[in-house]
């Protein structure tokens, strides 16, 4: 049975996750890291408030993350690299934060991230030295095609 969720449901769920992270911090990591891909998926929602809440939840989760759990967070972020480009950009921003905090753990996860980049999207473009349109002022390709 498929339950259709409304915009209010998505807003409420993300606001609840953000509140839980703010109240409990590191105590919630083991419970919330598995839902990080769903939080990242909300980053491409049609509703502007849902997208903003998804970004806030992702940032709050990574901010509350202890440095020794970075590798687990990156494994949870990897599925977001196969979603829409907005989710990929949000995931890359979180990976950037993780890389500044725990560079050695990010280095250990690079084979996984490179494997995800072979499937395409923003990460592949960035690893290959290009700048996708819409990200950091990149120009849109001629003909209106994607990247």
């Amino acid at each position: 049975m498929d339950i259709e969720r409304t915009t209010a449901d998505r807003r409420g769920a993300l606001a609840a996750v953000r509140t839980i992270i703010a109240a409990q911090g590191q105590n919630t990591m083991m419970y919330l890291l598995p839902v990080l891909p769903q939080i990242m998926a909300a980053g491409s929602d049609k509703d502007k408030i849902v997208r903003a809440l998804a970004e806030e939840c992702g940032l709050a989760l990574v901010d509350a993350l202890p440095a020794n759990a970075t590798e687990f967070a990156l494994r949870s972020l990897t599925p977001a690299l196969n979603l829409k480009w907005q989710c990929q950009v949000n995931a890359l921003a979180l990976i950037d934060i993780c890389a500044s905090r725990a560079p050695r753990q990010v280095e250990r996860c690079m084979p996984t991230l490179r494997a995800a980049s072979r499937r395409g999207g923003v990460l592949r473009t960035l690893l290959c030295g290009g700048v996708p349109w819409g990200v950091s002022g990149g120009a849109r390709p001629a003909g209106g095609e994607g990247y």
Side-chain angles (χ1 to χ4, degrees):
M1 183 162 135
D2 190 23
I3 300 172
E4 188 170 327
R5 290 179 173 71
T6 64
T7 301
D9 294 338
R10 292 189 299 274
R11 285 181 185 177
L14 289 168
V17 167
R18 182 185 60 188
T19 303
I20 290 169
I21 295 168
Q24 296 296 320
Q26 291 183 1
N27 298 331
T28 62
M29 291 307 110
M30 296 309 290
Y31 304 105
L32 293 179
L33 277 180
V35 298
L36 190 56
Q38 288 85 359
I39 293 172
M40 292 284 88
S44 65
D45 197 89
K46 292 178 183 177
D47 185 51
K48 181 171 62 170
I49 296 172
V50 172
R51 288 192 310 264
L53 283 169
E55 278 185 46
E56 288 178 27
C57 285
L59 287 172
L61 196 56
V62 170
D63 283 341
L65 193 69
N68 60 354
T70 301
E71 194 170 340
F72 298 112
L74 291 174
R75 288 182 186 158
S76 296
L77 279 171
T78 303
L81 297 173
N82 297 320
L83 300 174
K84 293 183 180 180
W85 70 268
Q86 297 97 329
C87 302
Q88 294 176 10
V89 170
N90 291 341
L92 287 173
L94 297 181
I95 290 170
D96 184 46
I97 292 170
C98 290
S100 66
R101 289 187 177 171
R104 295 211 189 268
Q105 288 192 23
V106 174
E107 182 181 354
R108 281 193 296 250
C109 291
M110 280 309 290
T112 305
L113 296 174
R114 287 181 195 211
S117 72
R118 289 190 194 110
R119 290 187 286 269
V122 175
L123 183 61
R124 182 185 74 200
T125 306
L126 292 175
L127 287 177
C128 294
V131 178
W133 63 270
V135 179
S136 302
R140 187 177 187 133
E145 63 229 29
Y147 39 87

